[in-house]
Amino acid sequence: MKKTYYLFNPGTLERKDNTLKFTPFEEDGNGELLNPGQPRYLPVEDVAELYVFGSLKANSALYNFLGQKDICVHFFDYYENYTGSFMPRDGLLSGKMLLAQTSFYQSKKKHVVLAQKFIEGAAANMLKNLYYYDRRGKDLSAQIERIEDLSKGIANTTEVDELMGIEGNIRMTYYEAFDSILNDFQMDGRTKQPPQNEVNALISFGNMMCYSQCLRAIHQTQLNPTISYLHTPGERRYSLCLDLSEIFKPVIVDRIIFKVLNKKEIQEKHFDKKLNRCLLNDEGRKIFVRNFEEKLNETIQHRKLGRSVSYKHLIKLECYKLCKHLLEIEEYKPLKMWW
């Protein structure tokens, strides 16, 4: 089974026969790589994708090789912001799907309906998390009632901007509940670019991880990642990934955050605080990534398929459902946690 590999250290990546050779280096203040460490060899047939968090030196021959093997590379900067991806050539391009996506975008009614469905799914999954902790004595009734009331207005919207306003209020109310759910940390409102405290640092980092997973799933279907319905399409922006990630952030990212903080897997020592920002350090990132991988590989019994599927596969199934909706084969119903 192919695996995702995470490169936290700066280094060089090159092809060595039918393997990938990663050599870690120390990095000086000018970005120069010094003192090479022990090389690590990755059999290319075992690699699904690469996440790069440190400086990486590679050449075009390496990327040609990765493209041939259908291996994606996702890049993050020093501040843990997602900066872009190397994606192999689209092997599933479909003119019919591109026309269908464009047609739905240009039809205001169809456009708004799809945007509503993304928010409907996101709100239902946020509520599911709140119900879970409310039953365990956290008293989240005020936030639950507020989100339920706001959700009633989703179907009545006629503009995407109006819908985004409702989504913003739902998410603000949802984040208010984090201070009650978490035992030892306070969120104190959502802050990003840069995150101001530990909880916000985890949300920003986890959301970027979720975004890249959605991008990978879209790439494995005939969907075009630049045509979206809730978020505004833009230059050099895979905005459809943002639409899909709204559904999966509560399902994957937020549940990981609650787990690693309440079980003290991640503690204050796993963050770096400086220059009015708070970021995970190397050890903290490794702990979060390990939990992220475990969550993606965790399986549930799918009610419709009648078999166990992983969380990672759920994202891909969501893309297939969206494809059927765009081709007007079957109405899209967003994933809502039933487990």
Side-chain angles (χ1 to χ4, degrees):
M1 181 179 177
K2 290 190 174 185
K3 298 190 297 183
T4 300
Y5 287 87
Y6 298 84
L7 307 180
F8 292 100
N9 298 317
T12 61
L13 186 67
E14 55 190 322
R15 176 181 180 177
K16 187 70 173 178
D17 298 324
N18 209 35
T19 65
L20 299 176
K21 178 185 176 184
F22 177 69
T23 307
F25 282 78
E26 294 178 9
E27 188 174 19
D28 67 12
N30 298 316
E32 294 295 322
L33 300 181
L34 310 169
N35 305 322
Q38 185 68 30
R40 183 182 180 188
Y41 293 90
L42 310 175
V44 72
E45 302 302 335
D46 293 345
V47 180
E49 55 194 335
L50 298 167
Y51 282 74
V52 179
F53 294 97
S55 298
L56 184 70
K57 287 193 174 181
N59 58 28
S60 59
L62 183 277
Y63 287 108
N64 285 333
F65 183 54
L66 295 177
Q68 292 166 11
K69 298 298 182 179
D70 195 34
I71 297 173
C72 297
V73 187
H74 306 293
F75 296 95
F76 294 77
D77 66 16
Y78 174 79
Y79 300 110
E80 298 171 356
N81 297 312
Y82 170 79
T83 55
S85 296
F86 165 78
M87 303 295 292
R89 179 173 60 87
D90 289 319
L92 299 173
L93 285 175
S94 167
K96 184 177 181 180
M97 180 59 71
L98 182 60
L99 290 172
Q101 278 187 258
T102 305
S103 174
F104 266 75
Y105 180 81
Q106 291 176 332
S107 167
K108 182 178 178 181
K109 183 178 179 181
K110 291 180 178 180
H111 184 163
V112 171
V113 166
L114 259 181
Q116 288 172 342
K117 289 180 181 292
F118 290 125
I119 298 304
E120 177 189 326
N125 292 329
M126 290 183 220
L127 282 170
K128 190 74 173 181
N129 285 343
L130 299 189
Y131 293 146
Y132 176 87
Y133 284 97
D134 187 65
R135 290 194 300 269
R136 284 156 180 77
K138 295 295 186 178
D139 190 15
L140 305 175
S141 55
Q143 288 88 356
I144 289 172
E145 183 178 349
R146 172 72 171 150
I147 292 176
E148 287 176 338
D149 286 342
L150 287 167
S151 297
K152 293 174 184 176
I154 294 174
N156 299 323
T157 54
T158 57
E159 302 285 344
V160 173
D161 287 347
E162 181 186 3
L163 185 59
M164 289 293 281
I166 293 176
E167 187 274 339
N169 287 327
I170 288 174
R171 194 163 293 279
M172 182 176 65
T173 305
Y174 175 64
Y175 283 144
E176 285 175 4
F178 276 41
D179 288 345
S180 298
I181 293 172
L182 299 172
N183 295 331
D184 300 323
F185 289 88
Q186 292 289 304
M187 182 177 178
D188 296 325
R190 181 73 175 111
T191 57
K192 50 188 175 181
Q193 297 179 343
Q196 300 294 308
N197 57 37
E198 298 88 349
V199 180
N200 277 286
L202 286 172
I203 292 173
S204 293
F205 185 71
N207 286 353
M208 291 299 99
M209 297 288 289
C210 183
Y211 175 85
S212 58
Q213 280 297 315
C214 290
L215 175 59
R216 180 57 167 160
I218 289 170
H219 184 73
Q220 293 172 334
T221 69
Q222 295 178 330
L223 292 168
N224 186 306
T226 65
I227 302 175
S228 55
Y229 305 93
L230 178 63
H231 295 84
T232 304
E235 296 293 333
R236 301 182 299 278
R237 186 185 190 197
Y238 295 133
S239 47
L240 185 59
C241 310
L242 297 175
D243 288 1
L244 275 179
S245 65
E246 293 296 332
I247 293 171
F248 288 97
K249 287 187 291 189
V251 178
I252 297 173
V253 178
D254 298 341
R255 287 190 162 196
I256 293 173
I257 292 172
F258 301 150
K259 173 180 178 283
V260 297
L261 291 183
N262 284 346
K263 290 191 173 183
K264 301 184 186 299
E265 292 182 47
I266 290 182
Q267 303 171 27
E268 282 195 37
K269 65 182 181 181
H270 295 120
F271 296 89
D272 288 333
K273 299 178 183 178
K274 54 186 176 182
L275 297 176
N276 198 34
R277 68 172 68 239
C278 181
L279 301 171
L280 280 163
N281 59 26
D282 285 347
E283 186 60 31
R285 284 199 297 265
K286 290 176 182 178
I287 295 170
F288 189 93
V289 162
R290 184 179 69 244
N291 278 273
F292 189 80
E293 280 294 306
E294 289 173 357
K295 177 61 73 174
L296 288 179
N297 292 322
E298 187 180 323
T299 60
I300 60 163
Q301 185 69 16
H302 198 284
R303 292 191 299 188
K304 188 173 181 180
L305 297 179
R307 61 181 173 86
S308 294
V309 298
S310 66
Y311 278 73
K312 189 171 189 174
H313 192 60
L314 281 175
I315 302 175
K316 194 171 181 179
L317 289 176
E318 204 71 7
C319 294
Y320 289 142
K321 286 158 55 181
L322 185 56
C323 286
K324 289 182 179 180
H325 180 89
L326 292 166
L327 295 175
E328 300 184 320
I329 296 171
E330 183 178 323
E331 182 185 359
Y332 172 63
K333 295 181 181 178
L335 174 76
K336 298 178 182 178
M337 284 189 282
W338 64 83
W339 60 97

